[in-house]
Amino acid sequence: MTDISIPTKDSKDPQTVVNSGVNSGVNSGVNSGVNSGVNSGVNSGVSSGVNIKHQHQYQSSHSKKSTRSSKRKRRTGRKYRRGISSAKSSYYRHKNAANVGVIYTDKSKRLDMSLGNPYIFNDYWHHHQGSISYRSDNQGDYQILDPLILAKEIDLLQAKLNCTYSPVKDYPNPMIMGLGSTQLFNAAIHAITTLNPGIKCKIYIPSPQYLFYRSILHHNFKSSTIIVNNPADLTSKDVCIELVTSPNNPTGTRENKQIFADYTIYDRVYDYPMYNSTSQSVTDDTVSLFSCSYLMGLAGSRFGYALCRDVDISQLMSEYIVNSTFGLSSDALLRCYRGYQHINHNFEQYFEYFNVKMARRWYLVERIFEHFEPDNGLVPDNSLPNIKLINHEGGYIYLYMEGVDAYQYFKKVVDIEGVAGSHFYPPDDEDSYQYVRLNLMLNDRSFKCFVIRMTELISSQEH
């Protein structure tokens, strides 16, 4: 490509160049022949001068176009950078709001503490992104994980956690992996009802209970199960299933079976040190359900596993998983494998991090709700409402307000969205409205917002 230089200040004027060419041609023509010299000189000079003039005009035009183009690019670049910056800030603003579990943390917005999402893990995994990568090697290839490899990592972790049992040793059947504990719960009920055809299995769920149990049974197993609220209604002829959530949701306490049921399903998704400091070795379970959601908080992975003592139930549960979703996503298996592997390699540091974080939060929660106890001596004239803190451990704050709709109080007075107590009790329970559950597994920013709002409520009554 021809290099076109831009004229400088020292460049001659095109007209001067033409005149010079004409004079030169004329003088040369006189020496060699007047006629030919004049014609040659004039033509040569004019042609040379005109060419230079055209070149100068092209260079000037090109220079102006280049200047305009560069200015346009600079303006476009600034707009582009501003647009990217604005998009990034908007993206992170909404992303953080979603991750935190709060619309926004300013005082004009409602703080959402209703869902049970474990946002408390977000900051940890943000600093350990390489630990849960999907990639298997430096080549960037994806790995199809054998579930047996993941099962070994899970067994190693459970053996470290409880020191009293190991799934591989204590359970005769292999682990059953599913899309979270919810699918495994469906699989367990399906297996038990299949083994008892033509009979409506009676299911007893002690209160307070996980809020989705009744909904799942009503929609998926209405024709084969009956929910029993009072154990006295059971007879020896009934095929009975008891559902035990330990640690409990919402109270966080350890629970054991209350009746002599034919089958016992333990929901143990919170059976980790950060939610309950005491260990529990279960030997009377038919099926135990676990989930990585409240161990690692890997959003969207939807990975859970079940341990089963009965061979027939184990086989039917496995068939249910395969027939309903054809197994699990390879991405979910690999990601959870990386997570379990990371925890096994950093066992003490991992649980110490979350144990300390939860202990600090519970300390602040206890100090806050001391002010709401009657005759506490902390607030003059006892002007605050009577709010009783039911539990002192677990992933949720469970509160009781005598004679008051606790859910509506926190929603309208404190501007905090919780879960009404009616979701954890049978529909005919008349006192359930006095309870409310608040999620304690929030991001640090949202938990700070919760503390600020509660302390402001206390301060408003002190003055």
Side-chain angles (χ1 to χ4, degrees), residues 182-360:
T182 303
Q183 187 188 34
L184 293 164
F185 173 72
N186 280 272
I189 298 297
H190 164 78
I192 294 173
T193 53
T194 302
L195 293 175
N196 297 275
I199 302 175
K200 277 201 169 185
C201 298
K202 293 188 175 182
I203 300 183
Y204 173 63
I205 315 174
S207 297
Q209 57 201 234
Y210 176 52
L211 68 166
F212 287 116
Y213 278 153
R214 290 179 176 273
S215 177
I216 292 171
L217 293 171
H218 175 75
H219 287 91
N220 299 344
F221 303 99
K222 189 174 182 179
S223 61
S224 57
T225 61
I226 300 176
I227 298 177
V228 177
N229 298 325
N230 188 356
D233 297 334
L234 299 171
T235 65
S236 59
K237 296 181 180 179
D238 295 326
V239 176
C240 182
I241 306 171
E242 182 178 5
L243 306 182
V244 182
T245 304
S246 181
N248 184 265
N249 174 8
T251 64
T253 57
R254 290 286 185 186
E255 303 289 344
N256 294 296
K257 64 183 298 185
Q258 299 181 11
I259 62 174
F260 293 98
D262 300 282
Y263 305 95
T264 306
I265 300 176
Y266 273 82
D267 183 347
R268 304 174 67 181
V269 298
Y270 299 96
D271 195 6
Y272 301 109
M274 65 276 283
Y275 306 117
N276 194 296
S277 56
T278 61
S279 61
Q280 181 184 34
S281 179
V282 177
T283 58
D284 56 359
D285 58 329
T286 308
V287 179
S288 281
L289 308 177
F290 297 84
S291 171
C292 78
S293 296
Y294 297 100
L295 171 65
M296 293 181 274
L298 301 183
S301 294
R302 300 298 302 148
F303 174 79
Y305 65 94
L307 304 173
C308 185
R309 299 186 186 277
D310 187 276
V311 176
D312 295 331
I313 294 178
S314 176
Q315 183 177 355
L316 287 170
M317 288 180 66
S318 299
E319 292 176 359
Y320 179 90
I321 299 295
V322 172
N323 293 333
S324 58
T325 57
F326 204 69
L328 275 76
S329 162
S330 297
D331 284 342
L333 288 173
L334 182 58
R335 195 178 194 196
C336 291
Y337 167 71
R338 299 292 189 198
Y340 277 107
Q341 196 175 42
H342 172 83
I343 296 173
N344 282 327
H345 292 167
N346 304 274
F347 183 81
E348 294 183 0
Q349 297 88 336
Y350 184 83
F351 284 105
E352 182 181 3
Y353 175 86
F354 289 106
N355 290 346
V356 171
K357 184 180 286 287
M358 290 299 291
R360 288 174 177 172

Side-chain angles (χ1 to χ4, degrees), residues 6 59-75:
I6 299 176
Q59 290 172 341
S60 300
S61 175
H62 180 73
S63 175
K64 291 178 180 178
K65 289 182 180 179
S66 300
T67 303
R68 287 196 298 268
S69 176
S70 61
K71 288 182 178 179
R72 190 182 303 113
K73 287 181 180 179
R74 285 197 296 271
R75 288 196 299 268

Side-chain angles (χ1 to χ4, degrees), residues 151-180:
K152 291 180 180 178
E153 290 292 335
I154 296 173
D155 180 65
L156 179 61
L157 176 63
Q158 292 291 359
K160 287 181 178 180
L161 280 174
N162 296 287
C163 301
T164 55
Y165 83 99
S166 173
V168 171
K169 297 177 182 177
D170 289 4
Y171 289 84
N173 304 300
M175 293 177 187
I176 306 163
M177 301 183 185
L179 298 177

Side-chain angles (χ1 to χ4, degrees), residues 19-38:
N19 297 333
S20 175
V22 172
N23 296 331
S24 175
V26 170
N27 294 332
S28 176
V30 171
N31 295 330
S32 60
V34 175
N35 293 329
S36 62
V38 170

Side-chain angles (χ1 to χ4, degrees), residues 116-133:
N117 296 328
Y119 299 113
I120 192 173
F121 295 94
N122 287 5
D123 292 335
Y124 182 88
W125 289 119
H126 178 73
H127 294 93
H128 297 82
Q129 291 180 0
S131 303
I132 54 175
S133 172

